Amino acid sequence: KTCTVGFSNVDYSYSGQYTCSTKNIINSQEKSSSATLQINVYSHTDVTMTTTPPPGGRAYYLTGDPLTITCSVEGVPRSSFNFTKDNSVIKSYKNVSSDSNVTTSDHSVVYKHTISKLNLNDNAEFSCNSNNSFKSGNTNLDSEKVVIKVYEPVSVTMSVSSPYPSLGSEVIISCTATGSDTPSSVTLSKVRADGSVTTITSSGSDNSFCTKSSYKLDCSYTISSIGYSNNGTYKCLAKNNVNGTEKEDTKSDDIEVSSQVKASFSNVGEKEVSYGSTYQITCGVEGGKAPHKVTLVTPTSGTFTWQSASSSNSLQCNTVDSVQNKLNCLRSINTNQYQGEGKYKCTGYNYLPNPGTSEKSSSSDLTLVITKDVMVDLTPSSREIEYGQSVSLRCSAEGGRTPHFLSLKHEGVSLVEYDKENNRISSKVTVKGHELSFTKSTSSIVYSDDGEYVCTGKNRAANKKETKKSETTNLIVVKEVEIHSIQNLEVDFGKSIMIPEIKVEGGRPPHLISLLSPNGKSSVLYSSTTTQHFSGKHVKNCTNYTVAAKSDYSHDGRYTVTAENRAHSNTIKTSRMSFNVTVFKAVETELVLKDGNQTINVTSGSVNLTYGALLTIQCNVNGGREPSKLVVKVQDKTLTYTRNDKNSNLTCVGGHELVCEHIFTPGYLDDGIYSCLSENFVRNEKKTQQKSAVVTIVRKTEIDLLDVKNNKTALLTNESTVITCRIVGKPLIDKESVNWTHESKAVDLSKNFTVMKGEDDFTWVSVLNLTEL
């Protein structure tokens, strides 16, 4: 079999190796065979050139623009090429070459030629020439070219040999213009002060003005002897053509003939000006080159400046003669607060002959004196000052000329004096500007600072005439009335009571002091009419004030001293101070016994009390301090009273004189020692006293018929009965003293009569047995 494959429109992709494979079966086995064919596609060399367009959508290139020229070459075998500028080879490429600006494939070579910034030398013809050969001795050639046109707008520079020439010297003005298509013209002109322009010369009218070279015109103009009329601004104007459009550039420079600057005030020396008025200072400055700067140094407001090149000058200067460059510089001075007083210096500046190398200056001085009569001020921080607080009392004098004298007196006593004319200078006085001042500062004011203060000042005003002023103020030290602590007093009963010291202070001074006693009685110790007890003004002192010549219990208790004064804003303030007076007396005890309503004398120490009667045990106690405890003992029973103890089992009433009672009905067993023990404290020492009595309970002998047997009192003869009786008493009668009587006759029936102890030791029981009556 024969198999055929046909291709049409063959391109580079058809190059390569082709394989034909076949199979058959022989004796049941598959057999195969293949054959290969290499096909190479060749082409003639082909060149294409492209350029990046001008920036900004322009139709032309300008100096400084970037440019990339791309040369693309195709052909198999791969082509070689030469890249040329105006027929000069820039880049040459063969198959073996390698370059970062060259990109290759099997059938193409691409070269990019980049110019980062075009210049006028890049006006040229660029070409790309290639060749390849795919048959022996047969060479294929191709080429392409582009023409690059670069434009540059005209640019002019200008220089003056001496912008500030000396009068009569030579000055050369130079203008240089550059650009594509060599600049067509250069014109030199002068701009006058009124803004009008006059042409001096140009390249078109004066062949000697400019010299032409590649892309440039060099122009020069000479002023052989310069004068003031040559002062002004000079301008160079150059033109050229850019792709059919006319371009131009201008530069200018100034020429000013120089002379030494001079400055002067309209007034010289010293000038007196009244305080509060407005005074205008005038400083004249002239010179050529014209003054470019004027400064006015003031004593209080700093430096004011005028500069010809500035639009925001702090000093106003006006031209009064433009030919001689004369300026008048003005500054209005407001003399309030003495801001304008002092020395002024006006300085003018100009350059001879070159700026920055030889600056010249001239100065003039003026002293301004502001006159004002002396003014005095005496200012306390407060006319009512709380005691112990800080206070600032300022005495000051101001005027023009500065005061030479200042004094401050308190209640006629000088605190400070400054007298410059008599060479008495006090470092305590502060001199600041037109003011003398002295500040009396007290961090903690006291009563002695209270009173009248007088501030006096002197100065020499207009025509040096002396003026004098004084001012007075009263300083009031205020403090709410205060009573100093008064110690508690301890006195023995019957002795005098004397307060060692009563001290009362306040600002304004205390006007009333009184003493309130424990009994509610108030006594005036100090008032406007009662002053004998106290001395002092703000601090009132009274020593050894006698409360009582002879103390008793009525003087014991709490005393209160009350004082009044008028403090802030005359408001009445009150203070109270209390103290205790303790009248001491050791406790005294009295024991009183009452048998029923009868008081029994116990001074003997032994007492008989009737059995069954109501017994009152009374303890009468007095002492100072008040008795604190009382104990009543009856045999083994103890009753106790403790002051302020609610659990006391003994009832007592009273204070310094205390009465305690215990009432009961005594029995036989209540014999014994009855005592009253009391205690108190005298100056923290416990004092006690006890009174006792031996008590015996007595009872009159009594007999009771207790029983008749069966209560049968009517009996028959021969009957028997038993009669029982009880004999009681204290002391009990003897047993032998018990007998029976019948019809007032003794019964001698001892064998039937018995006496035995009863229910206690104070009872006999007697039994009489009667038989066969």
Side-chain angles (χ1 to χ4, degrees):
K1 294 182 178 179
T2 299
C3 299
T4 303
V5 177
F7 301 103
S8 62
N9 298 320
V10 174
D11 58 25
Y12 298 126
S13 64
Y14 288 91
S15 294
Q17 188 178 68
Y18 293 80
T19 302
C20 179
S21 300
T22 182
K23 297 178 182 179
N24 68 348
I25 301 297
I26 298 176
N27 295 325
S28 301
Q29 290 186 346
E30 185 179 68
K31 300 296 183 177
S32 63
S33 178
S34 63
T36 60
L37 175 66
Q38 177 68 37
I39 297 177
N40 294 317
V41 178
Y42 294 95
S43 68
H44 294 286
T45 185
D46 184 33
V47 177
T48 303
M49 289 187 73
T50 60
T51 60
T52 54
R58 294 195 306 270
Y60 54 91
Y61 294 99
L62 292 178
T63 53
D65 287 347
L67 173 65
T68 298
I69 304 173
T70 302
C71 174
S72 301
V73 180
E74 287 199 6
V76 177
R78 191 165 56 201
S79 303
S80 298
F81 72 87
N82 288 326
F83 185 82
T84 64
K85 175 183 178 183
D86 286 340
N87 297 318
S88 296
V89 176
I90 296 175
K91 176 65 66 177
S92 179
Y93 176 80
K94 298 186 182 297
N95 285 331
V96 296
S97 298
S98 177
D99 193 301
S100 60
N101 294 321
V102 177
T103 304
T104 64
S105 67
D106 290 340
H107 54 81
S108 68
V109 179
V110 178
Y111 169 67
K112 290 187 177 182
H113 180 72
T114 300
I115 303 172
S116 60
K117 292 183 180 180
L118 290 170
N119 58 50
L120 294 177
N121 292 325
D122 292 318
N123 282 297
E125 177 185 271
F126 294 85
S127 63
C128 186
N129 307 301
S130 69
N131 67 83
N132 73 344
S133 177
F134 58 86
K135 288 183 179 181
S136 176
N138 186 6
T139 300
N140 300 293
L141 303 175
D142 193 19
S143 67
E144 192 169 326
K145 63 182 178 180
V146 293
V147 177
I148 301 300
K149 177 64 176 177
V150 181
Y151 293 94
E152 182 179 71
V154 69
S155 174
V156 67
T157 60
M158 182 179 183
S159 64
V160 177
S161 60
S162 178
Y164 306 108
S166 300
L167 188 65
S169 63
E170 180 184 85
V171 176
I172 299 173
I173 303 173
S174 299
C175 298
T176 300
T178 60
S180 60
D181 297 334
T182 303
S184 59
S185 67
V186 175
T187 301
L188 178 65
S189 59
K190 180 181 179 183
V191 182
R192 299 190 179 278
D194 60 2
S196 61
V197 179
T198 301
T199 299
I200 298 174
T201 186
S202 68
S203 59
S205 62
D206 184 0
N207 293 331
S208 63
F209 177 47
C210 298
T211 300
K212 184 176 182 180
S213 61
S214 179
Y215 305 116
K216 183 166 71 172
L217 284 178
D218 289 310
C219 307
S220 178
Y221 179 78
T222 301
I223 303 173
S224 58
S225 180
I226 199 163
Y228 287 120
S229 61
N230 298 117
N231 286 343
T233 299
Y234 292 80
K235 182 171 70 173
C236 280
L237 171 64
K239 297 180 181 181
N240 77 339
N241 184 283
V242 174
N243 197 38
T245 301
E246 187 176 70
K247 302 291 183 179
E248 64 179 41
D249 188 29
T250 303
K251 291 293 186 295
S252 61
D253 207 343
D254 294 331
I255 294 177
E256 187 169 355
V257 177
S258 61
S259 64
Q260 179 67 49
V261 69
K262 180 182 179 182
S264 62
F265 281 108
S266 56
N267 297 99
V268 293
E270 183 177 283
K271 173 67 177 175
E272 280 192 354
V273 180
S274 298
Y275 181 90
S277 64
T278 300
Y279 177 73
Q280 182 168 276
I281 292 180
T282 302
C283 174
V285 182
E286 63 179 84
K289 169 182 186 304
H292 62 278
K293 178 181 175 182
V294 180
T295 60
L296 178 64
V297 179
T298 69
T300 57
S301 301
T303 301
F304 297 89
T305 303
W306 172 88
Q307 295 188 78
S308 59
S310 174
S311 60
S312 57
N313 291 309
S314 57
L315 182 64
Q316 177 188 350
C317 293
N318 302 314
T319 300
V320 294
D321 188 335
S322 59
V323 176
Q324 297 299 322
N325 298 313
K326 290 184 178 179
L327 301 174
N328 271 351
C329 298
L330 311 175
R331 181 70 186 174
S332 291
I333 304 300
N334 187 339
T335 60
N336 284 328
Q337 306 301 322
Y338 305 102
Q339 291 184 8
E341 186 175 69
K343 186 176 181 180
Y344 291 77
K345 179 182 286 291
C346 178
T347 304
Y349 298 84
N350 74 347
Y351 290 101
L352 292 178
N354 297 315
T357 59
S358 182
E359 186 179 55
K360 301 298 182 180
S361 65
S362 173
S363 299
S364 179
D365 294 330
L366 172 67
T367 300
L368 209 62
V369 177
I370 299 174
T371 60
K372 180 183 177 182
D373 288 355
V374 69
M375 300 291 292
V376 173
D377 182 48
L378 180 58
T379 306
S381 55
S382 173
R383 282 183 166 77
E384 282 193 354
I385 301 98
E386 184 73 28
Y387 182 92
Q389 296 297 311
S390 62
V391 63
S392 177
L393 186 65
R394 188 175 189 271
C395 168
S396 64
E398 64 99 359
R401 299 176 174 83
T402 300
H404 58 272
F405 179 88
L406 181 71
S407 74
L408 178 64
K409 293 183 178 181
H410 176 216
E411 295 293 327
V413 177
S414 178
L415 300 179
V416 69
E417 183 175 280
Y418 176 98
D419 189 350
K420 185 175 181 181
E421 291 189 351
N422 291 303
N423 202 30
R424 291 196 295 270
I425 306 299
S426 172
S427 60
K428 297 178 181 179
V429 174
T430 300
V431 181
K432 185 177 181 180
H434 285 262
E435 183 184 64
L436 300 181
S437 65
F438 167 70
T439 300
K440 182 185 183 302
S441 295
T442 304
S443 60
S444 180
I445 196 167
V446 295
Y447 297 124
S448 61
D449 295 316
D450 189 284
E452 181 184 74
Y453 291 81
V454 179
C455 177
T456 302
K458 301 176 185 178
N459 86 324
R460 296 191 179 276
N463 300 317
K464 299 185 179 181
K465 181 180 178 181
E466 186 176 75
T467 65
K468 176 182 176 181
K469 290 286 177 64
S470 295
E471 188 169 324
T472 301
T473 190
N474 284 294
L475 210 60
I476 301 171
V477 179
V478 295
K479 180 181 181 182
E480 292 187 11
V481 65
E482 177 187 1
I483 304 172
H484 289 231
S485 177
I486 302 174
Q487 293 183 350
N488 295 328
L489 301 179
E490 296 179 345
V491 297
D492 292 326
F493 188 90
K495 301 294 185 179
S496 65
I497 301 174
M498 184 179 294
I499 305 173
E501 181 183 39
I502 301 174
K503 187 176 182 180
V504 181
E505 68 168 282
R508 302 176 176 86
H511 59 266
L512 179 64
I513 304 172
S514 62
L515 176 66
L516 179 65
S517 300
N519 59 10
K521 181 181 178 182
S522 180
S523 304
V524 175
L525 305 183
Y526 176 84
S527 68
S528 59
T529 58
T530 306
T531 61
Q532 66 271 25
H533 299 300
F534 285 86
S535 61
K537 182 181 178 182
H538 290 88
V539 181
K540 305 289 186 186
N541 273 296
C542 173
T543 57
N544 298 327
Y545 177 78
T546 301
V547 178
K550 187 176 181 181
S551 62
D552 56 34
Y553 292 137
S554 67
H555 297 115
D556 189 282
R558 189 176 183 82
Y559 290 76
T560 300
V561 175
T562 302
E564 290 182 0
N565 81 329
R566 295 181 180 275
H568 283 290
S569 304
N570 265 332
T571 303
I572 292 180
K573 297 295 180 180
T574 303
S575 177
R576 292 178 175 84
M577 177 62 66
S578 296
F579 63 96
N580 293 314
V581 173
T582 303
V583 178
F584 284 119
K585 182 181 180 183
V587 68
E588 293 180 350
T589 307
E590 178 187 22
L591 175 63
V592 177
L593 299 177
K594 292 182 181 179
D595 191 0
N597 294 323
Q598 182 180 2
T599 301
I600 302 172
N601 188 347
V602 295
T603 56
S604 63
S606 298
V607 177
N608 291 329
L609 298 178
T610 303
Y611 174 85
L614 191 66
L615 174 62
T616 300
I617 300 176
Q618 179 177 307
C619 292
N620 298 324
V621 184
N622 75 84
R625 297 175 175 139
E626 295 179 355
S628 59
K629 186 175 181 181
L630 190 128
V631 179
V632 175
K633 289 187 177 181
V634 179
Q635 287 286 65
D636 296 328
K637 183 177 182 181
T638 300
L639 301 173
T640 303
Y641 165 81
T642 302
R643 186 173 297 281
N644 298 323
D645 186 356
K646 295 181 179 180
N647 296 319
S648 296
N649 57 3
L650 181 63
T651 302
C652 300
V653 294
H656 290 282
E657 297 176 341
L658 189 66
V659 177
C660 303
E661 287 185 344
H662 177 60
I663 302 174
F664 70 104
T665 301
Y668 295 128
L669 301 179
D670 290 327
D671 284 348
I673 299 174
Y674 285 28
S675 63
C676 183
L677 172 65
S678 61
E679 69 177 42
N680 75 341
F681 288 86
V682 176
R683 294 182 178 86
N684 296 322
E685 180 182 353
K686 185 167 75 171
K687 301 292 184 179
T688 62
Q689 188 180 53
Q690 179 173 305
K691 289 295 178 72
S692 303
V694 179
V695 175
T696 303
I697 306 300
V698 298
R699 183 176 182 179
K700 186 171 123 180
T701 300
E702 297 177 3
I703 302 175
D704 294 328
L705 183 61
L706 295 180
D707 185 35
V708 176
K709 187 177 181 181
N710 299 324
N711 292 323
K712 188 175 181 181
T713 58
L715 302 171
L716 297 176
T717 56
N718 296 320
E719 285 189 311
S720 298
T721 188
V722 177
I723 302 174
T724 303
C725 71
R726 184 175 62 184
I727 302 95
V728 295
K730 189 179 180 186
L732 187 62
I733 62 174
D734 294 336
K735 183 176 180 181
E736 290 75 15
S737 299
V738 179
N739 58 73
W740 291 80
T741 63
H742 178 238
E743 296 294 336
S744 302
K745 294 180 182 180
V747 178
D748 186 14
L749 298 173
S750 57
K751 61 180 180 180
N752 295 319
F753 167 47
T754 61
V755 178
M756 63 189 73
K757 279 286 187 179
E759 65 270 21
D760 54 38
D761 292 339
F762 308 106
T763 303
W764 294 114
V765 176
S766 180
V767 179
L768 178 62
N769 294 311
L770 298 178
T771 61
E772 299 179 357
L773 293 179

